[in-house]
Amino acid sequence: MATVTFKGATRIYPKSDRPAVDRLDLEVRDGELLVLVGPSGCGKTTTLRMLAGLEHVDEGAILIDGKDIVNLPPRDRDIAMVFQNYALYPHMNVAENMGFALRMAGVPKSEIAERVRAAAKILDIVDFLERKPRQLSGGQRQRVAMGRAIVREPRVFLMDEPLSNLDAKLRVATRAEIAGLQRELGVTTLYVTHDQVEAMTMGDRVAVMKDGLLQQCHTPRALYADPVNAFVAGFIGSPAMNLLQGTVEAGGVRFASTVIPVAGGVPKAVGEAVTVGLRPESLSLAPAGDGIPVIVTIVEELGAEAFVHAQLANETADAVKANIIARVEPLAAPDKGDLIHLHVKEGSMLFFDAQSGDRIASRS
């Protein structure tokens, strides 16, 4: 096991006008599963490849157990990587694929066989050791790729969207298996995904990136409840947090023609613009005339719950239509086109600067 520390790590690709990863400061704790998440192009895979030695580090340092490994070749970093496409050799069977790196390192055949079988037992693929990759399902291939990493007994696992080629149902099952396996092995792991649900359900901590910059790193619960800016607030959570543009009023905030009271007032001057964050579960159906009036555009029926997609009513003709999502009981779900009112749970509003997107502390 090991700690991994990024200190001002920067990667600038040739002919690029901005860094792909910009002065990253981040620590992966000993034995932790830390997930890097963000939209495409945010720098998360580049971060992984910098640690693996597959990308040059233009500035800063990357340390494993306090030792800078920037100038070490990949083979000397004691890291095992699981790729998105599995990268299995088609002419080799499962056992040969899993033991290939050990054979190249000169490990005795008897030890290779022992380590391969031990890893296969952990992953429940002992019965597949003699099969070729083409004879396996996507989930089984993913387990073989995991096994190839496990047999090396590295200090650090790197996983680059290993579930992206699996169907939705298998992804749910496999992400739980990977998280459980990582905790059983106790190997420090840096996991990359663009799927925030995957990140929230797997990570001990989650690091959110945007445009090469680390936005926030914390536990899943803390990211959800206490985002530092509007980007994190809107990225974490499913469905995403509603981010509505409002105007500060005395004792409340105005959306279109409706003023919603805010206990203690809004932490901005009256008349100023403010971005208000509302989780779908903080909204509920209200009697006519109470709450925010909206026009229903779509209703998603999911069995145990329903999500109502709507637009603010009473907006001016030239206003940008603001969308809002509310979670409601399925039996109470309205119909498309209905005018409904949404009650805001007291104390559930989050406030962000309308220009910078930074979180504004609520008044006590």
Side-chain angles (χ1 to χ4, degrees), residues 5-246:
T5 307
F6 294 85
K7 288 189 174 182
T10 300
R11 175 60 174 141
I12 305 172
Y13 287 113
K15 300 181 181 179
S16 176
D17 58 355
R18 65 176 180 82
V21 176
D22 193 357
R23 295 166 293 177
L24 176 64
D25 290 317
L26 180 66
E27 180 174 318
V28 189
R29 298 165 183 164
D30 189 12
E32 177 180 42
L33 196 165
L34 188 141
V35 180
L36 279 177
V37 68
S40 297
C42 72
K44 55 188 184 294
T45 293
T46 299
T47 298
L48 205 71
R49 291 173 61 85
M50 290 163 66
L51 175 54
L54 303 177
E55 290 289 352
H56 179 66
V57 179
D58 294 292
E59 297 177 15
I62 302 176
L63 295 82
I64 297 180
D65 282 341
K67 179 182 178 182
D68 192 348
I69 49 91
V70 163
N71 295 317
L72 285 180
R75 66 177 180 273
D76 295 333
R77 298 190 181 195
D78 200 7
I79 286 171
M81 191 163 181
V82 179
F83 294 93
Q84 177 178 345
N85 62 1
Y86 315 133
L88 301 178
Y89 296 108
H91 63 285
M92 296 182 183
N93 64 27
V94 168
E96 291 167 339
N97 266 285
M98 290 174 63
F100 181 75
L102 299 180
R103 183 159 63 85
M104 291 295 98
V107 176
K109 288 185 178 180
S110 59
E111 183 178 345
I112 293 176
E114 181 181 341
R115 286 163 68 172
V116 165
R117 191 161 188 86
K121 188 174 181 180
I122 291 172
L123 295 163
D124 196 23
I125 54 173
V126 173
D127 293 341
F128 307 140
L129 289 176
E130 300 303 320
R131 296 188 188 182
K132 298 290 180 63
R134 66 177 178 273
Q135 298 173 294
L136 305 177
S137 68
Q140 290 164 349
R141 292 179 192 179
Q142 193 271 342
R143 291 188 186 194
V144 175
M146 287 285 297
R148 184 176 51 193
I150 290 170
V151 298
R152 293 178 57 187
E153 300 176 355
R155 288 190 293 171
V156 181
F157 282 147
L158 305 182
M159 299 188 187
D160 187 11
E161 305 212 36
L163 307 183
S164 60
N165 290 332
L166 304 181
D167 62 55
K169 184 176 181 180
L170 190 55
R171 285 184 71 160
V172 172
T174 307
R175 74 190 185 205
E177 291 177 359
I178 290 178
L181 178 62
Q182 189 276 336
R183 285 164 177 76
E184 179 182 341
L185 297 174
V187 178
T188 305
T189 301
L190 189 59
Y191 187 108
V192 161
T193 181
H194 66 276
D195 185 335
Q196 60 91 23
V197 174
E198 198 169 292
M200 296 286 281
T201 55
M202 294 183 68
D204 297 315
R205 288 187 302 149
V206 177
V208 183
M209 296 187 71
K210 177 191 178 189
D211 297 333
L213 293 168
L214 177 66
Q215 302 294 304
Q216 187 175 4
C217 181
H218 218 307
T219 63
R221 183 182 296 275
L223 286 180
Y224 185 84
D226 194 22
V228 298
N229 57 37
F231 175 79
V232 175
F235 195 83
I236 297 297
S238 181
M241 173 179 278
N242 299 293
L243 296 171
L244 304 178
Q245 301 306 310

